[in-house]
Amino acid sequence: MQGEQRRQPRPTGRGLLGDLWPALAIAALIFVLSSLPLRAPQAAPGWSDTAAHMTLFGALCVALRWAWLRRRWALAALGPVALTVCYGVLDEAHQAFVPGRSPDWRDVAADGVGALVALLLTVRTGRMGAGGARRKAPGRFPA
């Protein structure tokens, strides 16, 4: 098939773990922070609990999207958001076993909003696009 080029996965020079390490580091940070017993204020001074959730889970979503795009997996927009929200649900379930903490659906909602906002900002600013725009062939209309 002359003139057609199949899109090949971009070699990253590292394995899946190498692409996922930023997301794994952020997930570990979230786990450690949510493992701390709650004694005094819920978030750092000047931060609300909702802002902390949105920031941390937004960062997790961006890191997952980065890995997703490097691996050229399908659903590069929804996949990282879905994984981020699932991790938020697991985080809230984990907090049920931590003294002084309790699960709250509003935290999961803040996690999801943070993930969506972060994703929209990265896509909107072009910081993390589709990893190379599709080029249309000369004289053809885009599908």
Side-chain angles (χ1 to χ4, degrees):
M1 296 191 227
Q2 206 170 9
E4 277 187 45
Q5 289 182 345
R6 295 190 67 193
R7 201 174 211 191
Q8 297 295 323
R10 175 178 32 192
T12 61
R14 54 185 151 195
L16 178 61
L17 189 59
D19 289 338
L20 282 175
W21 78 263
L24 294 173
I26 294 169
L29 175 65
I30 291 170
F31 182 82
V32 167
L33 291 175
S34 68
S35 296
L36 299 174
L38 199 56
R39 294 190 189 117
Q42 289 187 342
W47 282 80
S48 71
D49 184 49
T50 302
H53 273 268
M54 289 177 68
T55 302
L56 286 170
F57 283 86
L60 177 61
C61 184
V62 168
L64 285 169
R65 179 164 166 80
W66 179 77
W68 214 278
L69 290 173
R70 289 189 59 81
R71 305 304 290 185
R72 297 205 181 229
W73 289 333
L75 302 174
L78 296 180
V81 172
L83 280 178
T84 300
V85 171
C86 287
Y87 191 72
V89 170
L90 291 174
D91 178 55
E92 292 303 314
H94 161 251
Q95 287 186 26
F97 301 101
V98 177
R101 293 190 176 260
S102 60
D104 188 353
W105 66 269
R106 291 174 291 204
D107 288 343
V108 175
D111 301 342
V113 169
L116 283 172
V117 167
L119 178 78
L120 291 174
L121 286 175
T122 58
V123 170
R124 183 81 173 140
T125 61
R127 297 285 180 198
M128 237 183 272
R134 285 177 43 180
R135 294 182 185 148
K136 60 181 179 176
R140 292 195 171 197
F141 292 102

